[in-house]
Amino acid sequence: MDDMTTTYRTVRRLRYDTKLRLLQVRAVERITPKMKRITLGGDELAGFVSAAHDDHVKLFLPPPGQEKPVLPTLGPTKLVFPDGAARPVARDYTPRRYDAAANTLAIDFVLHGDGPATSWAAQAKPGQLLGVGGPRGSFIVPNGFDWYLLVGDETALPAIGRRLEELPPGARALVVIEVADADEEQRFDTRTRLDARWLHRCGAEPDASLLTKAVAALTLPRGDGYAWLATEASAAKALRRHLVEERGLRRDRVRASAYWRRGAMATHETYDD
């Protein structure tokens, strides 16, 4: 591989000034039975920047029974909340789609269990208020690879869908996605050469076996590829280990993230050493 190709396929990081915004729900749409898209807007959204499909913003949820969350201010080293104010619950989510012309930001929520974000999204209506912080930065994967492998469960669907929409026409994309059942499959507005494999749990609890077996059975294309995957923490680590140690992908060509951890709340970790 020559120096020009190496440079063309070099990932890079961008950092942004942290911004906190109070936004209003503009629209609510049911994507699948267990996926809801909530579109936010407001004057404070102007200047929003998100350059990568797996960016994350921190959502500040209003307490039950209250109209809006109490947002912190930016201190020298940390967020500072007003004295005596109840801290809002905060969760990380993917910016699914930002429309600068319309000044709107879409966030997709998986409706599962009874967590605070799920509960808020389940009742969300136009006019309600939500706090949004970030993103703080982006991890940019170039569009010049020969192929892309995207792997994840429903928590990764917003990032996968965004990546497929943003890849250039003709890019080769292999996608393996685990969802509850066939009703949770989504259609992507993409111009890629897409090979999508949908895995259905059919009532079973999520575990690592469906994704790991499906990825192990894949025939990867020739050429220089990049793998991105996001799922439960133990599965993310196992998949990364398989692709690096058994498939021979370079470590810097496999980015794995834990979007959740069994028995824990608010997990977001990345394994890309």
Side-chain angles (χ1 to χ4, degrees):
M1 186 180 300
D2 59 32
D3 291 341
M4 182 176 295
T5 301
T6 300
T7 300
Y8 185 53
R9 293 174 178 166
T10 299
V11 299
R12 58 193 177 94
R13 297 178 185 270
L14 299 178
R15 302 296 296 179
Y16 311 128
D17 293 335
T18 301
K19 292 186 178 181
L20 300 168
R21 298 172 165 92
L22 186 64
L23 302 178
Q24 187 177 63
V25 176
R26 293 289 175 79
V28 178
E29 177 185 3
R30 185 71 68 132
I31 303 299
T32 69
K34 295 183 179 180
M35 184 78 77
K36 205 170 189 180
R37 177 165 298 162
I38 297 179
T39 300
L40 307 169
D43 293 342
E44 294 183 17
L45 187 58
F48 182 84
V49 177
S50 174
H53 73 286
D54 61 350
D55 287 352
H56 62 273
V57 292
K58 193 167 291 292
L59 304 185
F60 296 94
L61 306 169
Q66 295 191 21
E67 178 183 354
K68 63 182 180 180
V70 175
L71 294 185
T73 56
L74 298 175
T77 60
K78 62 180 181 179
L79 299 178
V80 179
F81 289 86
D83 291 339
R87 292 195 177 196
V89 173
R91 292 290 186 268
D92 290 339
Y93 273 81
T94 299
R96 178 60 177 84
R97 182 181 297 125
Y98 171 59
D99 186 332
N103 197 38
T104 57
L105 173 66
I107 307 285
D108 289 356
F109 291 78
V110 181
L111 303 180
H112 60 90
D114 57 357
T118 295
S119 298
W120 181 86
Q123 62 77 57
K125 299 176 180 62
Q128 293 180 333
L129 299 173
L130 185 68
V132 177
R136 297 176 61 186
S138 297
F139 186 87
I140 309 296
V141 178
N143 291 333
F145 285 97
D146 298 315
W147 53 270
Y148 298 85
L149 172 63
L150 307 173
V151 181
D153 57 21
E154 47 266 90
T155 63
L157 260 175
I160 291 174
R162 177 176 168 179
R163 182 60 166 154
L164 290 173
E165 291 178 0
E166 294 178 351
L167 280 170
R172 187 169 187 180
L174 286 77
V175 178
V176 182
I177 306 173
E178 175 189 331
V179 292
D181 51 46
D183 289 340
E184 294 306 310
E185 295 186 13
Q186 296 186 19
R187 296 179 65 87
F188 303 115
D189 182 14
T190 181
R191 295 171 293 172
T192 62
R193 292 181 291 153
L194 176 61
D195 179 357
R197 319 284 178 92
W198 292 91
L199 312 176
H200 303 150
R201 291 192 297 274
C202 299
E205 289 296 316
D207 62 41
S209 62
L210 278 179
L211 284 174
T212 52
K213 289 178 180 177
V215 172
L218 283 178
T219 299
L220 298 179
R222 295 181 179 272
D224 192 15
Y226 193 95
W228 180 93
L229 50 104
T231 181
E232 194 276 332
S234 60
K237 291 179 181 178
L239 287 163
R240 175 175 167 77
R241 185 165 55 249
H242 167 75
L243 290 171
V244 172
E245 297 179 4
E246 299 181 35
R247 294 302 191 96
L249 271 66
R250 287 171 38 178
R251 290 183 177 275
D252 63 347
R253 296 292 193 259
V254 182
R255 181 170 169 85
S257 295
Y259 275 12
W260 60 285
R261 182 187 297 276
R262 199 174 308 281
M265 298 182 68
T267 295
H268 191 116
E269 301 172 347
T270 299
Y271 318 115
D272 60 354
D273 56 315

